[in-house]
Each structure stands twice: as structure tokens, then as C-alpha cells.
């Protein structure tokens, strides 16, 4: 799912949601932790899945789509965050799934840099590609079956 507009770099696309994109980028590029706090709900929301389910869902998404939208992972892959269109989080209902939408802030690592806790599993492409929520839901259903069949504990 890609949105029209001029192609940007991943950094430009991400900072475009900041209240002051220029100041955000300047600080982000100089932040020794390599992270920025960006507001969700402007161009994208983030659906946060438990690690086991999220990893399996990402594998299914890679089979279903040419390219999923950006995906973040936290410490030790305990949770994965899938970037979806703005407004998705407010209408999402799912056990164990958290939504970061309007009014939420997300810790985002600088694309291509290693950080201490958050990393990109799928980098933003700069074109605004996001994961289609309907395809993510389908991938989550399939992933839940796979996790249960493998003896996992997180459906």
C-alpha cells in the first residue's frame, strides 16, 4: 500500500510527521542513541504484536505482498510494530495487539543505524509504503495457526 507524492528518503518520510521536521532531523542525526520520538496518527499508525506472533505474521506478509510496510522490533524481538495507515489503530480490536495512533508517540531508530534497543526489520522505503491492515489481519490469522501448531504460547 503506497501513497502518492514525491519520492523521499526514509529519513525525510519519517521526520515529515514531526511538529518541526528540520529540528527533528537535526537532533536525530546527532542523537547518540540514534532514536527519535515521532507522533503516530498523522501519516501512519503502528500496530504492536507480541514477538512470536509478529515474527510469524511478518513471514506470512512477505509471502502475500511484494513489500510490507515498515516494521520495528524492540529488545530481543519481544514486540514488533507494523506501520499501517493513519486511523487504523483506533478501530483495531485484537487480543494482545496494541495500537499507537493519534496522540501516541513512537520511538523510531534512524534508518540504517544500529541502536541499543529498537531496530528496523523492514526499513521505510521513503515512498510511504504501509502495510494494508486487511492483509496484516489475514497474515495474523495464518501466523496464529502456525504458532499454535508449533507449540507456541502466543496465538
Amino acid at each position: 500500500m503506497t501513497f502518492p507524492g514525491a519520492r523521499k528518503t526514509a529519513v525525510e518520510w519519517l521526520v515529515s510527521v514531526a511538529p518541526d521536521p528540520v529540528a527533528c532531523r537535526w537532533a536525530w542525526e546527532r542523537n547518540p542513541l540514534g532514536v527519535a520520538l515521532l507522533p503516530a496518527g498523522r501519516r501512519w499508525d503502528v500496530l504492536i504484536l507480541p514477538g512470536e506472533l509478529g515474527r510469524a505474521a511478518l513471514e506470512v506478509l512477505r509471502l502475500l505482498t511484494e513489500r510490507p510496510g515498515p516494521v520495528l522490533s524492540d529488545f530481543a524481538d519481544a514486540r514488533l510494530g507494523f506501520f499501517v495507515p493513519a486511523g487504523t489503530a483506533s478501530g483495531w480490536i485484537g487480543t494482545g495487539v496494541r495500537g499507537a495512533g493519534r496522540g501516541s508517540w513512537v520511538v523510531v531508530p534512524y534508518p540504517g543505524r544500529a541502536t541499543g534497543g529498537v531496530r528496523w526489520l523492514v526499513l521505510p522505503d521513503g515512498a510511504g509504503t504501509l502495510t494494508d491492515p486487511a492483509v496484516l489481519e489475514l497474515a495474523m490469522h495464518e501466523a496464529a495457526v502456525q504458532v499454535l501448531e508449533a507449540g507456541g504460547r502466543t496465538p
Side-chain angles (χ1 to χ4, degrees):
M1 173 173 265
T2 305
F3 292 93
R7 181 154 172 85
K8 300 178 180 182
T9 67
V11 173
E12 290 170 332
W13 180 75
L14 288 164
V15 300
S16 71
V17 301
D20 183 345
V22 174
C24 177
R25 183 175 184 159
W26 187 90
W28 198 10
E29 290 174 343
R30 289 155 183 79
N31 182 328
L33 299 176
V35 296
L37 197 57
L38 297 176
R42 291 186 179 180
R43 293 188 191 271
W44 40 260
D45 286 356
V46 180
L47 293 179
I48 304 162
L49 281 62
E52 191 173 18
L53 177 63
R55 287 187 301 278
L58 179 56
E59 290 307 312
V60 174
L61 271 176
R62 286 182 166 144
L63 297 173
L64 295 175
T65 64
E66 184 176 321
R67 184 193 194 288
V71 180
L72 288 174
S73 178
D74 72 356
F75 317 95
D77 294 336
R79 296 212 172 267
L80 273 66
F82 293 80
F83 281 54
V84 294
T88 301
S90 64
W92 194 272
I93 299 172
T95 304
V97 178
R98 297 178 184 169
R102 186 170 295 282
S104 300
W105 293 76
V106 179
V107 174
V108 179
Y110 194 93
R113 278 195 207 155
T115 65
V118 182
R119 65 189 175 98
W120 291 106
L121 297 180
V122 179
L123 282 165
D125 63 3
T129 301
L130 299 169
T131 296
D132 183 321
V135 177
L136 178 58
E137 183 175 17
L138 178 66
M140 288 171 58
H141 287 289
E142 178 62 29
V145 170
Q146 291 176 10
V147 168
L148 289 172
E149 286 177 349
R153 59 178 175 74
T154 306

